[in-house]
Amino acid sequence: MIETGIPKLDEYLGGGVPRGKSLVYYIHPGVEGDVFGMQTLYHNLEKGTRCLYIASTAAPDIVNERFKELGWSLDSFKDKFEIIDAYSALIGLNSKQKYVVDDPEDIGSFDKTVTEAIKNNPECLLVCESLSNIMDLCGEDDTLEWLKDCNKHLMLYDAVGIANFTVWPYSEETLRKIKEDIFNAVIKVGGIAERIIFGQYYGISKVDWTKPRESTMLFRVQKPGGVKAYIPKVLVTVPY
């Protein structure tokens, strides 16, 4: 099992994510959700798991700085960690990374690079920084087909795939496939807002390897620290 490193979530998942499976953090806009994939990756680096990270919204140097803001330095894990650079070519920069997506607007280029990386790193954890960004660049249908192929390679090489997905206004069919068909587990990451109480929460929407727990957990993002469970000391309700 590959642990998510998110408070209580591994308990809800029956210990983590089995090898050959995939999980998506299904993040509502405005919620601090990008940290979920980052936290899962860093947690597993600390446990000695070989990890790959698809960076599609920022150059590798910026990615490293984002981890450091959360108190997680990647410098000591260079022998266990590779960034798949799917950003530099988009803005015409040369990349020093071992794995580079030559054309981030072509899903075939993504497939070639990511498949090579998985083959060269069996039993790895593959984390996609922003599946929604790849979808915006390459199109919804092509991205969904690529995900199906990617899942086959995860199974073949005993790897685990984790993706952050922000729920922008994609087609209903695309959202249905993300929630029901593509991934073995879906973790909803959302927000609640009332006149007095504001919070962010996560909970399991789907999991196919254990009986799902219906519990949800409030959380805060700390810098440094990442996702932390949050239990309000006082819960106050008042009439409108």
Side-chain angles (χ1 to χ4, degrees):
M1 302 285 272
I2 292 291
E3 296 176 356
T4 66
I6 305 298
K8 284 290 182 180
L9 185 55
D10 292 308
E11 177 184 331
Y12 296 165
L13 291 171
V17 185
R19 294 195 176 276
K21 300 282 190 177
S22 61
L23 176 149
V24 63
Y25 293 116
Y26 191 85
I27 304 162
H28 283 223
V31 177
E32 296 176 277
D34 291 348
V35 65
F36 277 75
M38 297 169 67
Q39 186 155 327
T40 296
L41 182 134
Y42 191 78
H43 174 79
N44 282 281
L45 282 175
E46 288 191 309
K47 292 176 68 67
T49 302
R50 187 154 191 83
C51 296
L52 304 171
Y53 188 77
I54 304 174
S56 60
T57 68
D61 289 346
I62 302 300
V63 170
N64 280 289
E65 290 303 315
R66 288 176 178 174
F67 275 87
K68 287 180 180 178
E69 287 177 4
L70 292 161
W72 306 329
S73 175
L74 300 174
D75 295 340
S76 59
F77 299 107
K78 292 181 179 178
D79 60 331
K80 288 284 186 180
F81 174 62
E82 296 282 357
I83 290 178
I84 300 174
D85 187 353
Y87 180 81
S88 294
L90 191 65
I91 59 173
L93 293 178
N94 292 323
S95 178
K96 298 179 182 178
Q97 303 304 308
K98 181 177 180 180
Y99 301 106
V100 180
V101 177
D102 294 328
D103 183 359
E105 295 179 289
D106 174 37
I107 202 64
S109 187
F110 264 100
D111 183 56
K112 178 182 177 181
T113 304
V114 174
T115 299
E116 179 188 5
I118 295 173
K119 287 181 177 179
N120 292 342
N121 297 275
E123 300 184 355
C124 71
L125 168 64
L126 172 70
V127 176
C128 180
E129 172 200 25
S130 176
L131 176 58
S132 43
N133 190 65
I134 296 173
M135 190 170 285
D136 292 342
L137 291 171
C138 299
E140 296 177 36
D141 292 341
D142 286 348
T143 302
L144 292 173
E145 288 302 313
W146 168 65
L147 287 171
K148 294 177 183 178
D149 289 339
C150 192
N151 283 340
K152 293 176 183 176
H153 285 99
L154 294 176
M155 294 178 63
L156 184 61
Y157 292 95
D158 288 329
V160 168
I162 304 285
N164 290 331
F165 177 74
T166 303
V167 189
W168 298 117
Y170 300 109
S171 72
E172 288 297 320
E173 182 63 10
T174 291
L175 296 180
R176 186 195 67 77
K177 288 181 177 179
I178 292 290
K179 289 188 292 184
E180 299 177 11
D181 296 342
I182 301 293
F183 292 92
N184 300 106
V186 178
I187 309 303
K188 184 178 180 181
V189 183
I192 53 176
E194 300 293 345
R195 290 188 177 186
I196 296 177
I197 302 169
F198 172 78
Q200 301 180 114
Y201 69 91
Y202 56 86
I204 297 175
S205 292
K206 170 192 172 182
V207 58
D208 69 6
W209 62 82
T210 188
K211 184 178 180 180
R213 289 276 295 271
E214 296 182 358
S215 301
T216 58
M217 177 65 66
L218 292 174
F219 74 93
R220 287 177 172 173
V221 176
Q222 297 181 358
K223 295 183 179 181
V227 177
K228 300 293 183 182
Y230 169 57
I231 302 176
K233 293 182 180 179
V234 178
L235 182 65
V236 179
T237 59
V238 295
Y240 289 123

